[in-house]
Amino acid sequence: MKTYSISEVAKKLNLSVYTLRYYDKEGLIPFVERTPSGTRAFKDSDIDALKVIECLKATGMPIKEIKTFIDWCSDGDSTLQQRYDMFLDRKAHVEAQMEELKKTMEVINHKCLYYKTALDAGTEDIHKNAKIAISIPN
C-alpha cells in the first residue's frame, strides 16, 4: 500500500505542513499511522478524510465541531444519525451562504454596469439624472 509523507500530502491538498501538524495536534487525524521512527505515513483514505475536513472547514465549521465529527466516525454505526444530521445542517448553512453571495454578486454586477456606463460616457454625471443608476438591488 502506497503511503505519503506529510510534505507530499500538503502539496497534494494545497495545505501547509504546519496546518497538517495542527490538525494532528487537534485530534482531527487520529487515523494517520506512524512509522517506527514516528514519521506520519498517510494513506489514500487519510487524504480522502482530509478532503472532508477541508470541506467542513470551508463551510465555516469550527475545528471543535469537526473534531466531534471525527470522533463520531471513529465510534462507528452508532453515530450515523448524528453525522447525517450534521451534514444536513452544513447543507443548510452553505445554501444560506450561497444566497448571500448571490446578493453580493448582484451588487457587484450593478456597480460594474454603473462604472462601465460612466467610463463609456467619460463621466459619472450620466447617472445623476437616472433614478435607478445608483440604486442597489434588494
Side-chain angles (χ1 to χ4, degrees), residues 3-118:
T3 60
Y4 306 90
S5 70
I6 195 168
S7 59
E8 290 172 318
V9 172
K11 186 174 183 178
K12 212 179 238 288
L13 297 177
N14 197 28
L15 297 171
S16 68
V17 169
Y18 171 81
T19 298
L20 292 171
R21 287 187 180 129
Y22 173 73
Y23 287 175
D24 192 22
K25 182 181 139 229
E26 293 298 315
L28 298 184
I29 52 175
F31 40 79
V32 175
E33 295 175 6
R34 291 187 180 251
T35 65
S37 64
T39 305
R40 293 170 189 88
F42 292 83
K43 300 176 294 213
D44 287 323
S45 59
D46 300 332
I47 293 170
D48 291 341
L50 281 162
K51 288 176 182 175
V52 172
I53 290 168
E54 284 301 294
C55 172
L56 293 173
K57 228 179 98 193
T59 71
M61 180 180 264
I63 294 292
K64 183 180 176 182
E65 290 179 30
I66 296 172
K67 168 75 168 92
T68 299
F69 168 71
I70 297 299
D71 291 343
W72 287 340
C73 291
S74 297
D75 291 343
D77 289 348
S78 65
T79 62
L80 284 172
Q81 186 67 53
Q82 288 105 316
R83 288 182 272 162
Y84 175 68
D85 292 343
M86 185 211 69
F87 272 98
L88 286 177
D89 178 66
R90 286 291 96 195
K91 181 180 178 206
H93 185 80
V94 170
E95 287 169 342
Q97 286 176 319
M98 289 171 64
E99 282 304 311
E100 285 302 312
L101 284 173
K102 283 180 189 176
K103 291 175 186 174
T104 300
M105 185 57 80
E106 288 174 10
V107 172
I108 290 171
N109 283 336
H110 175 77
K111 294 310 279 184
C112 285
L113 179 61
Y114 172 91
Y115 286 112
K116 176 67 174 131
T117 306

